[in-house]
Amino acid sequence: MESLTSISSTALYTAFVLYLIATGFFGATIRDKRTTDGKSGITGTIAITLTIVGFIAQLVYFITRWIAGGHAPVSNMFEFVTFLGMSLVLAFIIIYFIYRLSVLGLFALPISLLIIAYASMFPSEVSPLVPSLQSNWLFIHVITVSLSQGVLAVSFVAGLIYLIIQVNQKERTKKTTWLEFILFSLIIALGFVIVTTTFNTMDYEATFELEENGNVIEKTYHLPAIAGPKGGTLISEDRMTPLFNAPEWMQGEDAPRKFNTLVWSILSGVILYGLIRLVLRKRIGAFIQPFLKNISPNLVDEITYRAVAIGFPLFTLGGLIFAAIWAQIAWDRFWGWDPKEVWALITWFFYAAFLHLRLSRGWHGEKSAWLAVIGFAIIMFNIIVVNLVLAGLHSYA
Amino acid sequence: MDKIKCECGHVNPEGTVLCESCGKPVAANQHIDGNDKSKLLNMRYEGSARRSQTYNRSIVDKTWNFFSSVKVGVMLIVIALIASGLGTIYPQEMYIPQEAENRDPAVFYEDWYGITGKIYYQLGFHDLYSSWWYMIVIALIGVSLVICSIDRFVPLRRALKMQKPKRHNTFLTRQRLFNETEKVSKAEKEALVAGLRKKRYKITEEDGNILAEKNRFSRWGPYVNHIGLIIILLAALLRTTPLLFLDDTVWVREGETKVIPSTEGEFYIENEKFVVEEYDFNDPEDAKFKDAIESRGTTVHKNYQTDAIIYEAKGKQVAGQEPELEEVTKGSIQMNKPLKFSGYTLYQSSYQENDFANMTFFVYKTDDEDRESLGEITIDLTDPKDEYELDNGIRLKINNYYADYELVNGEPRSVSNYPRNPAFVFNVFPPDSDESEISFVGIGKNIDATGENEYKLGIQGFNMLYASGLTVRRDYTLPFFIVGAAIFMIGVIQGMYWQHRRIWINPHNDGIILAAHTNKNWFGIKKDIEYAIKDTNIQMVIDQEELEEEKERERESKEG
């Protein structure tokens, strides 16, 4: 068993590195003069090959972990989010072979890398299943949902590319600001990964003592506490004292610690973004735009739509129908207005609105692209905020 | 207005935008789909005559037009979306956490969330999804679904049935994909048709005009999936009737046999045993979870299980008389493994460990500081005996037994029949004596009324009894939901994973005009055409929309 688990984590690490290298090759394709209209040349072939090998490595991770744990590795935040990263890669590979657009990889792979890195911040031990999760519907439901979210994430990637190509960067407008905000959010995610990895390797720990419901309990931070727990006393030595306390209205499990992590992510994101702006001396969007000038925005728009068209039925099946069947078996009701269920419904409503708006002429192109971005934000909200902040039946992390 | 006769001879219904047969724009109606303002034709619904676009006089027309608008539909979806989101800001009523001091919504929301919580409660957001206005929004979506579908499906079906391979020149030139080739030989034309056949297009030919069409069925996808949604909404309506949907709970303690509520006394359940299991990493089977369990620091439950027997009451039921029971089925109820019998389903939903199974008492001398035991007795609390005799001859007689002891107005009472807080009044008879002392013993209570007792009783230990909470369900609406969901999935896949593609090949002088339309995936249809013309000199179609946009961009960049 031990060896299987270690094979599994090595395979995941390999996949991560391969995706990273592949991103570099996808980057090279847009500078490659021989390839017009962004389609693949030799660099493109190398890039997609590396991506596929990386995907196979991640598949090895998935299968070995499944065997080692005795259940599908989609049962906690680490496993689920990792699988989401893998779904995005799979969806990208499929879309790549339909449209052969290399630039998609340049954006899809880094986002997948961020997702996998985010996953690794959660406890990664093979964990036992509580009774409610002991069902084959676990993997049927979760895998379908995740695949659909991977496909829908491709529509976000295409939408983002569309916006970078199309938003007029000559002057600062609302649009350029929002586009920068999207890119900034991705940088915050990067900041989060960098900060957490740094302090994890340092084994940083700061423990607080506080009273809760009449008991004295200890809370351990793994990042220096900028925002401490309300009413907590620092008991570790040589650790930074908090600058302020986390707001009281945050009720979720370990809310102060999570809030502190958020503060760190935003701070590091701001610094990173500031540094990038300092080096580039222009908006990031404006910097990337010229590299994408050979790409047909029409094709990118079509990929946005196609990805939603493929992802929507899959999402309905996995996120609503399979979910309902399982909920009926496990919790005796197929629908219970649990926050996770409601947000799945919201996601579904949103993409339904997207598909209906595509029928009207004015909603192609840029508007569609903005919508694809919002759709992805809703999906991310459902994975991150709903699980970590709004407690419910799905908070398994 | 009357029917419109096109120059091709076809008679179109009032309100037609593009002739159903040849596609020639009907001059007076071009504003309807905005064709008057653009170079390309709007091909939505084939320019067929939709009721909503034709009549707008009576109140019926106006209502119909309101609900048949996709924009209104989208607005309703967005309203439902925002409303649903509001309901997740704070937990809904049924998810008020167990640990809350006061679970009454009127108190809880203000208690936990302050002023915003109070407002949340006052607006009724604590029970948002069953509020009248949320239901109305959902119902309006349902109405919109029906009207939108009928408004479009009927004329669209007619137009697609009427279409002819020969199309009007204006129709062809104003398609998004269009090109003209001056000289095309018969062989080339045949190669083109053969190529399209290979791509599974259905070919219709009339006087040298060709229509290549595939996947028309995908146009019906939206209407099929809307039918599915309507069935689901109707099923939700049916669910509100107790006839079709029944939901109840039963608590049954280990060893107890109880009537299952909502079965009209027909079925009984016996809880033979309740099992709670935890993962144990010393067990080789669970050893792989050692790290996870240790780092979590708490135990992890592995199984909740009720071993149950279901009985059916036989014969006529007489009040106050125990019915005769006959076993129907037997099995264990676990999470994810409900037990089914005669249309009912029992789900493992919760458990409690607050009943005592038995208690063990020991007797000692009042003046003995070491409280050395003179003998023990174990009392089965579900069936206590009148008298017990200890090994050394002391006899204990139960004078009074309170299963669920409480002092009510200074009087000792049992507030229920369940042994949740057992207390006893014993008569303690010393060996070979008929004179007894009175002792009152319960959890945390040991009272000697006279203060002169020679013997005292202590609690040695006790065992708890599990009570299993089971949900009883009978749901005849499930098949409707399943059918609705299945139809929805078929429809949505039919509409999304296939596209209705058409290619028109009309002769023009010595050459041909090639035009094409698809309802989505233009990339795909272009690839089909590229494949079909690859060995000919026929010109590839031009994407006129892309062309327009490029011009637009160039103009913009020059101006800027």
Side-chain angles (χ1 to χ4, degrees), chain A residues 68-69 98-99 125-132 134-135 166 251 297-299 302 305-306 309-310 312-314 316-317 321 326 328-334 336-339 342-343 346 348-350 355-356 359 361 390, chain B residues 38 40-42 44 70 74 77 80-81 84-85 88 94-95 112-113 129 134 239 279 288-289 291-292 295-296 300-304 335-336 347 471 473 478 481 485 488-489 492 496-497 520-523 527 546 549 553:
Chain A
I98 302 177
Y99 293 98
E125 298 97 357
V126 177
S127 48
L129 290 182
V130 295
S132 62
Q134 292 167 12
S135 165
Q166 291 292 68
Q251 296 282 352
N298 238 319
L299 181 64
E302 203 167 310
Y305 183 34
R306 194 79 191 284
I310 297 172
F312 181 75
L314 259 181
T316 316
L317 189 66
I321 297 180
W326 188 16
Q328 178 71 30
I329 297 170
W331 297 324
D332 68 52
R333 87 287 184 291
F334 57 84
W337 301 106
D338 169 73
V342 175
W343 277 92
I346 290 174
W348 187 80
F349 275 146
F350 183 84
L355 290 169
H356 284 94
L359 296 172
R361 235 182 207 167
L390 310 171
Chain B
S38 75
L40 300 181
L41 290 176
N42 189 341
R44 272 200 301 166
V70 173
V74 170
I77 293 176
L81 183 159
S84 307
T88 62
M94 62 273 196
Y95 292 120
W112 276 45
Y113 306 107
Y129 305 110
Y134 188 80
R239 210 153 199 271
Y279 284 96
K288 58 197 173 204
F289 302 129
D291 293 346
S295 77
R296 201 180 297 204
V300 180
H301 282 149
K302 190 180 189 175
N303 184 25
Y304 311 118
M335 281 213 85
N336 280 307
Y347 295 89
T471 312
R473 279 283 166 98
L478 281 182
F481 284 102
F488 177 83
M489 278 317 296
V492 84
M496 294 290 164
Y497 291 178
K520 44 181 84 80
N521 190 4
W522 295 85
F523 180 81
K527 269 173 76 173
E546 209 161 285
E549 277 169 15
R553 262 202 303 285

Side-chain angles (χ1 to χ4, degrees), chain B residues 30-50:
Chain B
Q30 289 315 294
H31 60 281
I32 292 177
D33 283 337
N35 292 335
D36 47 346
K37 291 197 185 75
S38 75
K39 183 175 183 288
L40 300 181
L41 290 176
N42 189 341
M43 287 290 286
R44 272 200 301 166
Y45 320 113
E46 304 294 297
S48 59
R50 280 141 290 157

Side-chain angles (χ1 to χ4, degrees), chain B residues 40-194:
Chain B
L40 300 181
L41 290 176
N42 189 341
M43 287 290 286
R44 272 200 301 166
Y45 320 113
E46 304 294 297
S48 59
R50 280 141 290 157
R51 186 190 197 287
S52 59
Q53 306 297 320
T54 313
Y55 307 103
N56 194 17
R57 267 159 277 165
S58 67
I59 183 92
V60 177
D61 295 342
K62 291 207 160 85
T63 316
W64 181 273
N65 297 354
F66 178 77
F67 284 110
S68 67
S69 153
V70 173
K71 284 219 174 75
V72 170
V74 170
M75 274 313 294
L76 288 170
I77 293 176
V78 172
I79 292 170
L81 183 159
I82 293 168
S84 307
L86 286 177
T88 62
I89 296 176
Y90 296 136
Q92 288 291 295
E93 198 177 20
M94 62 273 196
Y95 292 120
I96 291 177
Q98 293 291 341
E99 62 263 28
E101 304 82 52
N102 192 335
R103 300 186 68 216
D104 176 7
V107 181
F108 167 78
Y109 288 95
E110 195 181 354
D111 234 30
W112 276 45
Y113 306 107
I115 183 72
T116 50
K118 190 178 179 182
I119 297 169
Y120 195 79
Y121 169 73
Q122 281 169 346
L123 289 173
F125 288 180
H126 64 292
D127 190 20
L128 188 142
Y129 305 110
S130 34
S131 69
W132 58 270
W133 62 271
Y134 188 80
M135 298 223 198
I136 287 178
V137 173
I138 301 294
L140 288 178
I141 291 179
V143 173
S144 163
L145 278 175
V146 175
I147 295 185
C148 269
S149 303
I150 296 172
D151 188 62
R152 288 156 176 83
F153 172 73
V154 176
L156 176 65
R157 184 165 164 273
R158 200 182 127 95
L160 286 176
K161 255 183 151 171
M162 295 292 171
Q163 60 168 341
K164 290 267 157 54
K166 181 171 169 49
R167 287 282 158 151
H168 195 270
N169 202 43
T170 323
F171 177 88
L172 295 171
T173 52
R174 288 176 74 185
Q175 288 299 314
R176 177 171 163 182
L177 298 184
F178 163 80
N179 210 343
E180 192 179 340
T181 311
E182 296 281 337
K183 267 201 157 42
V184 178
S185 70
K186 205 176 165 218
E188 282 176 320
K189 211 169 144 181
E190 274 163 12
L192 169 62
V193 171

Side-chain angles (χ1 to χ4, degrees), chain A residues 211-252:
Chain A
E211 220 184 272
E212 208 178 80
N213 302 328
N215 301 319
V216 175
I217 51 164
E218 284 187 2
K219 293 270 174 197
T220 303
Y221 278 45
H222 297 282
L223 293 178
I226 299 175
K230 170 102 180 144
T233 342
L234 186 66
I235 54 170
S236 310
E237 280 171 31
D238 297 330
R239 294 298 187 226
M240 190 179 118
T241 39
L243 302 178
F244 55 89
N245 283 335
E248 254 180 290
W249 49 265
M250 297 189 122
Q251 296 282 352

Side-chain angles (χ1 to χ4, degrees), chain A residues 64-380:
Chain A
T64 46
R65 194 177 166 97
W66 191 327
I67 297 169
H71 58 81
V74 287
S75 69
N76 57 26
M77 276 299 262
F78 166 76
E79 293 173 340
F80 175 72
V81 177
T82 305
F83 188 71
L84 178 66
M86 182 167 150
S87 304
L88 172 53
V89 174
L90 177 64
F92 158 67
I93 293 172
I94 293 168
I95 300 278
Y96 179 86
F97 281 105
I98 302 177
Y99 293 98
R100 303 261 170 194
L101 192 65
S102 294
V103 70
L104 273 181
L106 180 59
F107 288 81
L109 288 184
I111 290 170
S112 173
L113 284 168
L114 277 179
I115 292 174
I116 296 170
Y118 174 69
S120 70
M121 303 302 145
F122 292 96
S124 64
E125 298 97 357
V126 177
S127 48
L129 290 182
V130 295
S132 62
L133 293 182
Q134 292 167 12
S135 165
N136 283 336
W137 288 99
L138 169 68
F139 79 85
I140 301 172
H141 158 64
V142 183
I143 288 177
T144 325
V145 174
S146 178
L147 285 176
S148 75
Q149 288 174 336
V151 181
L152 293 170
V154 170
S155 88
F156 157 69
V157 170
L160 181 62
I161 295 172
Y162 187 93
L163 292 174
I164 295 175
I165 301 173
Q166 291 292 68
V167 168
N168 187 353
Q169 292 283 0
K170 286 212 177 67
E171 55 190 292
R172 201 178 128 179
T173 56
K174 240 189 219 162
K175 285 180 188 170
T176 58
T177 310
W178 277 108
L179 179 57
E180 285 301 289
F181 180 75
I182 301 168
L183 297 167
F184 173 61
S185 313
L186 294 175
I187 291 171
I188 288 180
L190 182 65
F192 167 79
V193 170
I194 292 172
V195 168
T196 355
T197 317
T198 314
F199 285 103
N200 272 357
T201 28
M202 286 165 57
D203 271 333
Y204 187 94
E205 268 187 15
T207 307
F208 290 87
E209 229 177 43
L210 64 150
E211 220 184 272
E212 208 178 80
N213 302 328
N215 301 319
V216 175
I217 51 164
E218 284 187 2
K219 293 270 174 197
T220 303
Y221 278 45
H222 297 282
L223 293 178
I226 299 175
K230 170 102 180 144
T233 342
L234 186 66
I235 54 170
S236 310
E237 280 171 31
D238 297 330
R239 294 298 187 226
M240 190 179 118
T241 39
L243 302 178
F244 55 89
N245 283 335
E248 254 180 290
W249 49 265
M250 297 189 122
Q251 296 282 352
E253 172 87 3
D254 278 339
R257 186 171 58 78
K258 285 169 187 161
F259 178 71
N260 185 56
T261 312
L262 181 72
V263 172
W264 264 103
S265 311
I266 293 177
L267 271 182
S268 54
V270 168
I271 293 168
L272 265 177
Y273 181 79
L275 285 175
I276 296 171
R277 285 294 293 266
L278 219 60
V279 173
L280 299 179
R281 303 207 158 269
K282 53 176 125 180
R283 284 185 294 275
I284 301 180
F287 170 76
I288 309 175
Q289 193 174 48
F291 293 107
L292 307 182
K293 64 176 186 294
N294 289 330
I295 292 153
S296 152
N298 238 319
L299 181 64
V300 179
D301 175 55
E302 203 167 310
I303 296 172
T304 309
Y305 183 34
R306 194 79 191 284
V308 176
I310 297 172
F312 181 75
L314 259 181
F315 182 81
T316 316
L317 189 66
L320 297 173
I321 297 180
F322 288 164
I325 296 174
W326 188 16
Q328 178 71 30
I329 297 170
W331 297 324
D332 68 52
R333 87 287 184 291
F334 57 84
W335 190 261
W337 301 106
D338 169 73
K340 191 87 177 181
E341 291 173 347
V342 175
W343 277 92
L345 181 68
I346 290 174
T347 312
W348 187 80
F349 275 146
F350 183 84
Y351 282 106
F354 177 103
L355 290 169
H356 284 94
L357 285 171
R358 275 304 287 212
L359 296 172
S360 322
R361 235 182 207 167
W363 284 85
H364 289 214
E366 204 181 306
K367 280 187 186 166
S368 266
W370 287 113
L371 289 179
V373 172
I374 298 170
F376 184 68
I378 295 177
I379 291 177
M380 279 316 187

Side-chain angles (χ1 to χ4, degrees), chain A residues 131-132 327-333 393, chain B residues 98 247-252 269 274-275 301 303-306 332-339 345-352 467-473:
Chain A
S132 62
Q328 178 71 30
I329 297 170
W331 297 324
D332 68 52
R333 87 287 184 291
L393 297 166
Chain B
Q98 293 291 341
D247 176 17
D248 217 322
T249 324
V250 58
W251 280 94
V252 49
I269 179 169
F274 183 79
V275 185
H301 282 149
N303 184 25
Y304 311 118
Q305 176 178 331
T306 309
S332 50
I333 308 168
Q334 286 169 288
M335 281 213 85
N336 280 307
K337 281 177 199 134
L339 180 71
T345 313
L346 290 173
Y347 295 89
Q348 184 63 52
S349 108
S350 44
Y351 71 95
Q352 280 184 341
S468 174
L470 301 165
T471 312
V472 187
R473 279 283 166 98

